[in-house]
Amino acid sequence: MLHAPDILFTAGIMRWNHLLLVGLLSVLGGFASAAHAQWEDPERLRTAAARAMGADSVQIAVDPNTRVPRCTQAPEARVRARSRTGASIEIHCEAPAWRIYVPARSNGEALVAVLTRPVAAGSSLQASDFSLQQRSTATLGYGWFENRDGLVGRRVRRALPVGKVLSPNDLEQERMVSTGDTVTILSRNHGIEVRMKGQALSHGARHEQIRVRNNQSGRTVEATVIAAGTVEVAR
């Protein structure tokens, strides 16, 4: 038979064990939250990919178990290759630097850019040259545009007839750096970012590699165009 002091002592131990358990669960929960916070949210990846496709009638396949470091800003995406049934989408982050590829499947139809008048080779597209029209993707080739963004002002490689669905192969790449331009050379290493001035020795569009000369060291290096007048060297 337990006496009053024994009962109080036992109750104190049980209460103390309960507090220890609650504290331990809180710590573990904090670790889990911190671990989750350091990885990119799959929903943000899916949103970026859908924005790149520019259409609602697509299915974006982002693995919920994807583990890439959380981007300091919203991830960006672009379509790397299209087919009649879907596309391969590159999702990338500038800081920290990473890129992944996810598939997108088309549900059959999309609004695509179609020429409303003939255009001559070498001419620049005007807003009145094309419109967005509904087309079955099963009847299209391996590239098309589903929004107007970035089309106006692009140069046409060859003469195109009215009714032609515009594809990336019909247009010249939009240059962001030209030969002889003064550029900013960006270098990142272990969280440290260094910028220096250089000169472009070739021209290129976004994500293309070009040769640049470092004005300070005189060295020539390969760098990737990441923005107008800005290139990044790999580490």
Side-chain angles (χ1 to χ4, degrees):
M1 178 176 180
L2 293 175
H3 299 289
D6 296 327
I7 294 175
L8 290 175
F9 180 73
T10 303
I13 291 177
M14 293 178 64
R15 186 180 300 109
W16 176 248
N17 289 340
H18 175 73
L19 291 174
L20 283 177
L21 179 59
V22 170
L24 180 60
L25 291 176
S26 297
V27 170
L28 292 177
F31 285 148
S33 297
H36 177 74
Q38 71 178 334
W39 302 118
E40 187 55 69
D41 183 359
E43 192 57 39
R44 290 215 308 172
L45 300 176
R46 190 176 294 105
T47 298
R51 189 183 305 117
M53 286 294 289
D56 297 327
S57 56
V58 293
Q59 297 175 347
I60 309 294
V62 176
D63 186 343
N65 296 316
T66 299
R67 292 290 182 267
V68 290
R70 186 170 180 83
C71 201
T72 55
Q73 298 180 349
E76 297 182 358
R78 64 173 179 148
V79 177
R80 291 303 302 265
R82 287 187 185 271
S83 69
R84 290 181 174 86
T85 58
S88 173
I89 303 176
E90 173 194 290
I91 307 175
H92 58 272
C93 176
E94 298 294 341
W98 54 257
R99 66 187 63 221
I100 61 173
Y101 298 87
V102 299
R105 185 172 181 81
S106 172
N107 290 336
E109 290 193 346
L111 282 173
V112 299
V114 181
L115 288 176
T116 55
R117 64 178 72 175
V119 293
S123 61
S124 297
L125 279 177
Q126 306 298 317
S128 56
D129 290 335
F130 63 92
S131 65
L132 297 181
Q133 301 177 20
Q134 196 79 14
R135 290 286 191 276
S136 169
T137 56
T139 64
L140 300 180
Y142 291 89
W144 58 86
F145 296 94
E146 295 180 342
N147 53 60
R148 294 176 173 272
D149 295 345
L151 280 179
V152 175
R154 295 282 297 275
R155 292 174 63 86
V156 178
R157 287 181 174 176
R158 61 186 70 86
L160 300 174
V162 62
K164 172 74 168 63
V165 175
L166 287 171
S167 75
N169 289 334
D170 296 328
L171 308 176
E172 294 181 358
Q173 285 278 7
E174 186 178 5
R175 277 187 198 175
M176 290 195 160
V177 174
S178 297
T179 303
D181 283 356
T182 297
V183 296
T184 298
I185 303 173
L186 175 64
S187 175
R188 295 189 181 100
N189 190 20
H190 300 298
I192 300 174
E193 183 175 292
V194 178
R195 294 174 180 265
M196 60 207 83
K197 290 297 181 182
Q199 184 179 29
L201 302 180
S202 53
H203 58 261
R206 185 188 292 272
H207 301 300
E208 287 186 339
Q209 280 202 334
I210 64 171
R211 293 183 305 114
V212 296
R213 183 170 55 241
N214 186 321
N215 288 346
Q216 184 174 351
S217 66
R219 291 180 54 204
T220 297
V221 297
E222 295 284 332
T224 302
V225 179
I226 62 173
T230 303
V231 300
E232 182 175 3
V233 293
R235 281 290 183 180

